[in-house]
Amino acid sequence: MSARVAGAAIPIGVGLTALYTALISSADAITKFFGQAYAAPQLFAVSGLIVAALAFATNRSGRARRGMVTRCPGAMAVRVAATVAGSVAFYYAFRLLPFAEVFLFIALIPLMTALLSGPVLGEEVRPQAWAALCLGLLGVLCLFPTGLSGIGAGHAVAFAAVALGTVSMMASRYIGRRDDNLLAQVFYPNLGLALAMLVALPFVWRPMGLIDLGWAAAYATLLFGARWVLVAAFRALPAYVVTPLMNLQFVWMVVLGALAFGEMPGLLVFAGAGIMVTAGAWLIWDQTLPARRAAKVVPAE
């Protein structure tokens, strides 16, 4: 019976992961759409409040009402600051770069996080992590066939977004090892994002129609839904299976870029994405080696 349940969990987990990539790519598409007409505060002030409210309401409706208390206020403050700055950086990266190209930068974040987990979190960093990051950087370099002179403002902003996203993810891992109140990690970054954007909003405000407000609400709903679907996917499948499947996001970004923005990536972008996917899969495979080796030495009962 347990084998049947485990077997059923596989297609469910794969389907949930595919749904997550569709939801998060759709949210990113709305980000790019907004970036063509509005400054970042007009999207994030609305969406941040909505996501924070959804997190709070979900906490109140759950069986165990823990509130939004966190055991790591300092690390949470770091995560909030990095999330706010990183969200703005990615917003303008989507504005300045073709949609699918941003995937190459997004895919760098887990590679850099795996590398920095040693000095920051005290986790073991195998040499393969360095190799995977170098391979990932090679994938990004596919965007610059003429050399570093091809780096533009959009690429610089995207690199800054990667650095900030890595800090946010490192803080999240630090908190997650000490506090299992996951909704707090959704609530505080989005509340901080909303408050920061509300402060800046009077300086960049442009009148918005109901349709654009609806898109902002849709962005927040997609973002919140994507995060919950990802949690469900990790419950159905191991992380080392889910993480490589998340690279399906590139497919969605190509499709949405073509349909919504009339963008068709060149061959070098596809080559770079292939290298990034390979680097991520290699890193995940290497991380599972200790567990597989330990399983082999367990005597059979």
Side-chain angles (χ1 to χ4, degrees):
M1 184 67 177
S2 60
R4 291 182 179 178
V5 173
I10 294 175
I12 292 174
V14 171
L16 288 171
T17 306
L19 177 59
Y20 163 79
T21 60
L23 292 173
I24 199 67
S25 298
S26 298
D28 288 340
I30 294 176
T31 301
K32 185 173 179 65
F33 166 76
F34 254 78
Q36 296 175 345
Y38 301 101
Q42 294 205 220
L43 174 63
F44 293 137
V46 175
S47 64
L49 286 174
I50 292 175
V51 174
L54 288 172
F56 184 80
T58 302
N59 176 271
R60 295 288 297 172
S61 62
R63 293 181 179 178
R65 299 181 182 179
R66 297 186 52 190
M68 292 302 171
V69 177
T70 177
R71 298 175 183 172
C72 307
M76 186 65 77
V78 171
R79 175 163 164 75
V80 170
T83 298
V84 171
S87 297
V88 174
F90 266 121
Y91 185 89
Y92 288 104
F94 278 117
R95 182 175 184 171
L96 297 170
L97 294 177
F99 195 46
E101 286 189 14
V102 182
F103 168 82
L104 275 67
F105 294 94
I106 294 174
L108 271 180
I109 295 177
L111 300 179
M112 293 184 64
T113 301
L115 187 63
L116 293 175
S117 63
V120 178
L121 301 178
E123 300 175 353
E124 179 185 2
V125 179
R126 296 166 59 84
Q128 287 82 348
W130 285 98
L133 179 61
C134 291
L135 189 60
L137 290 173
L138 178 62
V140 174
L141 288 176
C142 288
L143 296 177
F144 314 112
T146 60
L148 297 181
S149 60
I151 296 178
H155 303 110
V157 172
F159 275 118
V162 167
L164 292 163
T166 301
V167 172
S168 178
M169 184 173 287
M170 294 296 297
S172 177
R173 289 180 65 169
Y174 178 90
I175 297 167
R177 291 172 60 181
R178 294 161 175 81
D179 188 353
D180 61 353
N181 190 0
L182 299 180
L183 278 173
Q185 290 209 50
V186 177
F187 176 77
Y188 286 111
N190 283 283
L191 180 62
L193 181 63
L195 294 178
M197 296 300 103
L198 284 173
V199 171
L201 191 57
F203 301 98
V204 297
W205 170 259
R206 289 184 58 189
M208 294 174 63
L210 289 177
I211 294 178
D212 288 341
L213 284 172
W215 280 115
Y219 167 82
T221 304
L222 287 168
L223 189 63
F224 186 78
R227 287 170 176 167
W228 272 106
V229 168
L230 185 60
V231 170
F234 277 123
R235 288 177 179 171
L237 291 176
Y240 65 84
V241 177
V242 172
T243 307
L245 290 174
M246 289 169 62
N247 288 316
L248 285 170
Q249 184 176 354
F250 178 72
V251 177
W252 290 112
M253 293 180 80
V254 170
V255 172
L256 290 171
L259 295 178
F261 307 107
E263 300 172 350
M264 182 55 64
L267 290 178
L268 284 176
V269 176
F270 282 98
I275 293 173
M276 297 298 300
V277 170
T278 301
W282 181 17
L283 182 61
I284 297 300
W285 177 83
D286 178 70
Q287 290 177 337
T288 65
L289 276 179
R292 294 202 303 271
R293 288 170 178 168
K296 288 182 179 179
V297 301
V298 174
E301 295 182 359

